[in-house]
Amino acid sequence: MNSDSKLIRQAAKCPECGTPHHYVEVSFSFANDKGGWEVECRECRKRFTIRLKNPEESSAEGFRILRRFDDDNNDGQQSCAPAASEIVQYSLDINENKLRFDFGSEPIYRCTLSGADLEKAALAELEKHLPDVSQAFYNARNYMLASNVPDCEHAVIPVPVPCKCGSTHKATFYFPLRLNDTPMPEPRQMLLADVEGSSLDEELTGIFSKTFLMGALEKLTARWRLKFDQIVIASPFIAHQYMSKANKLAVWEWLLGIFDPRRTLFITRSSSYKDYKSALLESGLNHDMLVSFGLESQIVGAGTKKQDFHAKVYIGLGDTCEILSGSANLVPGKSLENATFGFAERKRVETRYLEPLGATLPQALPRASHHLAITYDGTKWRADASEGPSPI
Ligand SMILES: [Zn+2]
Ligand SMILES: [Zn+2]
């Protein structure tokens, strides 16, 4: 996609049942195609149409496009399905994905033998291999655009990282795979999900600044979004009472921007949630209108709102779960906090963490059946669809 394009987030309601459908419309600074989509309602399965610019380049979130049509192609392909009943555009990106991996901050992945920072080393290796990686990626994507391929959500790149300990660590980078002409992200914009030969329980157990722990939570989120189906975030306070409404909203936006709303269960005190709603109102947004279009972040909407808890725990949920817990609330700051990182079986997490909080997990959405693996055999790079949503 060229740099003159703008992404506009929209929601359209099904004319039959009123269910909101979110999508991103692409707008170019000149030469926009006019047209639309015939789609299937994700709730009642009836067909309806959404009119939009650039139907080829725009993308749907969580519903099926049955057909894309362009007004200039007079091929009689206009749809006879009814039009969406209402469409709203939203400028406050409460659901926009803002997750980044900050390679400049204190690492959470270090060599257990030499103590070397494996995050910067991994980035340097990826940058070294970049021309070959990107060639393998574009070849594979061209092939995928032209033929029927299995469903892939992510492109995943395992990168060998030589280390002064004498062994070679394997770092796993990834990024969301888009089957359009979006360029491959720069290495720094990719997410790092794991480095073998490091130890998170060693690095994330102890006393740390809250700033470090919030950075670590972002890095764990990058890891968990590839590795696990769901994430649980439990914290009694989001921001703190002495912050201005604008600052509170900024903390909420940061949080809602880094978690995938479809896969995150959010548990907070109802007073914290009320704060969020009043901050939203103050910023000029009507909360009920947001709810009616499903624009209120699903994360906050779905969370249990327990009043009487003080626990802070962040969990990546899989067969074997990863748990970061300690004294840090979700607020940036310099205070020193204690933290512990550990692993537990799913069943144990349910009885020890979720049940006491009164939290019941919604069924995890199915994940993509495959991922695009971009791999190195020691001489050359290649990219192929590989089974499972993630290699780690
Ligand atoms: Zn419907
Ligand atoms: Zn090493």
Side-chain angles (χ1 to χ4, degrees), residues 243-269:
M243 281 176 136
S244 68
K245 290 254 160 85
N247 284 343
K248 280 180 186 167
L249 194 60
V251 173
W252 274 99
E253 279 187 46
W254 163 70
L255 209 60
L256 301 180
I258 68 171
F259 295 106
D260 178 346
R262 299 164 305 161
R263 302 190 179 279
T264 307
L265 180 73
F266 204 86
I267 306 169
T268 191
R269 286 195 187 180

Side-chain angles (χ1 to χ4, degrees), residues 10-223:
Q10 313 259 28
K13 282 187 182 176
C14 165
E16 186 69 26
C17 71
T19 301
H21 292 68
H22 298 255
Y23 57 97
V24 179
E25 182 176 16
V26 176
S27 178
F28 300 110
S29 48
F30 54 92
N32 289 290
D33 291 333
K34 277 192 181 160
W37 297 335
E38 180 174 331
V39 306
E40 182 186 74
C41 174
R42 64 183 168 89
E43 189 59 41
C44 72
R45 305 281 164 217
K46 293 254 165 53
R47 292 171 176 220
F48 67 100
T49 56
I50 300 173
R51 292 206 50 85
L52 71 164
K53 282 189 264 185
N54 304 310
E56 283 306 320
E57 290 85 359
S58 300
S59 55
E61 293 178 353
F63 62 93
R64 259 182 7 117
I65 300 172
L66 304 169
R67 206 159 55 73
R68 297 169 196 254
F69 54 84
D70 189 323
D71 293 350
D72 292 339
N73 292 345
N74 270 332
D75 48 7
Q77 290 261 317
Q78 291 283 8
S79 173
C80 50
S85 56
E86 285 176 79
I87 292 181
V88 292
Q89 185 178 324
Y90 46 114
S91 54
L92 178 78
D93 280 327
I94 44 180
N95 283 315
E96 187 199 15
N97 178 16
K98 295 189 180 105
L99 184 60
R100 297 283 176 274
F101 193 100
D102 183 0
F103 290 93
S105 69
E106 194 70 6
I108 65 169
Y109 298 106
R110 283 181 193 276
C111 174
T112 50
L113 295 174
S114 72
D117 175 345
L118 293 175
E119 296 175 7
K120 289 185 188 70
L123 182 65
E125 286 304 308
L126 176 59
E127 278 167 346
K128 206 171 86 189
H129 289 286
L130 195 63
D132 296 329
V133 168
S134 88
Q135 195 178 3
F137 168 72
Y138 287 115
N139 287 346
R141 192 171 66 181
N142 286 340
Y143 174 77
M144 294 172 98
L145 284 166
S147 40
N148 265 336
V149 286
D151 181 26
C152 291
E153 188 181 352
H154 293 119
V156 184
I157 314 170
V159 176
V161 184
C163 178
K164 57 188 171 199
C165 73
S167 65
T168 298
H169 301 272
K170 187 172 83 185
T172 306
F173 287 89
Y174 74 100
F175 59 92
L177 177 64
R178 306 228 183 285
L179 291 182
N180 54 28
D181 59 358
T182 310
M184 187 176 86
E186 297 291 315
R188 247 173 213 289
Q189 255 70 59
M190 293 186 195
L191 299 168
L192 181 60
D194 187 43
V195 188
E196 284 179 6
S198 64
S199 163
L200 289 174
D201 42 339
E202 213 166 279
E203 296 303 326
L204 297 178
T205 301
I207 306 276
F208 307 96
S209 75
K210 191 140 54 185
T211 302
F212 170 78
L213 287 173
M214 290 303 108
L217 181 62
E218 269 189 1
K219 289 179 179 180
L220 288 175
T221 305
R223 170 184 179 87

